Amino acid sequence: MGTLDNFANASNERREQNIMRLRAAFNDEKYNTLIQAAKGTGYTLTTVKKWAIDGNIPLLDENNQPVVPLTADNQRQINPKTRIAHLNKLSEVYNKREAITIAACAKLLGYPEETIQAWAIDGEVPLFTKNNEPIVPLTDWNTPYWMESDDFL
């Protein structure tokens, strides 16, 4: 029976590690929904939902409702230094013209579009929406050099 106990303990430990990784990715704004987490982790929606419930992680379900009630204890804990690093990277990608739309930045940086959109608003980065409108108004401060050139369009 010792071997079976070892397997059970190892399985439970791996599960706990997966829940901790899910919490870390949630706090990093990598996952907002169960579907994003399932795609990102490679596990099934059912498994990710169980982890979110057991880990008290308020990921959104198919109906945009958190799978666990929101409380002060389970709110997203965003690291300010990490957030600044993300904003700087987004600004860098935009200013270098590597990606100028919300969708392109989401694909390039590996974050959901709603996270990229929130970062763009927070950092006043005028990424373009699907309608080719900047998400924040263009100003002297946030208009990149390449947009002022004749070959922009």
Side-chain angles (χ1 to χ4, degrees):
M1 282 289 203
T3 303
L4 289 178
D5 287 341
N6 289 342
F7 284 136
N9 287 336
S11 178
N12 191 50
E13 186 174 317
R14 182 175 175 101
R15 184 178 167 285
E16 291 297 321
Q17 289 173 350
N18 284 332
I19 291 171
M20 288 188 299
R21 284 189 200 105
L22 183 62
R23 168 57 76 181
F26 174 75
N27 285 341
D28 189 43
E29 301 176 275
K30 193 88 166 170
Y31 307 138
N32 299 314
T33 66
L34 289 172
I35 292 171
Q36 291 167 349
K39 286 181 183 176
T41 61
Y43 286 93
T44 66
L45 196 59
T46 305
T47 299
V48 171
K49 184 175 182 177
K50 287 178 186 175
W51 291 346
I53 291 169
D54 292 346
N56 196 23
I57 304 167
L59 290 170
L60 301 177
D61 64 14
E62 308 81 38
N63 301 317
N64 272 346
Q65 297 300 313
V67 294
V68 294
L70 287 172
T71 66
D73 292 335
N74 70 3
Q75 296 285 326
R76 182 174 269 154
Q77 305 286 323
I78 298 173
N79 181 326
K81 289 181 182 179
T82 304
R83 175 51 95 77
I84 290 170
H86 288 315
L87 292 175
N88 288 338
K89 182 64 177 175
L90 180 64
S91 182
E92 177 187 328
V93 163
Y94 177 76
N95 285 313
K96 286 184 175 178
R97 206 172 176 180
E98 293 173 14
I100 62 171
T101 66
I102 294 169
C105 287
K107 185 176 181 180
L108 181 70
L109 299 175
Y111 283 85
E113 287 187 26
E114 54 269 15
T115 298
I116 297 295
Q117 182 174 334
W119 291 348
I121 292 168
D122 192 29
E124 297 184 39
V125 179
L127 294 176
F128 289 92
T129 64
K130 292 176 182 170
N131 300 330
N132 290 328
E133 295 291 326
I135 190 121
V136 295
L138 291 167
T139 64
D140 291 339
W141 179 79
N142 69 3
T143 301
Y145 73 91
W146 50 262
M147 194 176 281
E148 295 171 353
S149 69
D150 292 336
D151 65 337
F152 169 59
L153 298 173

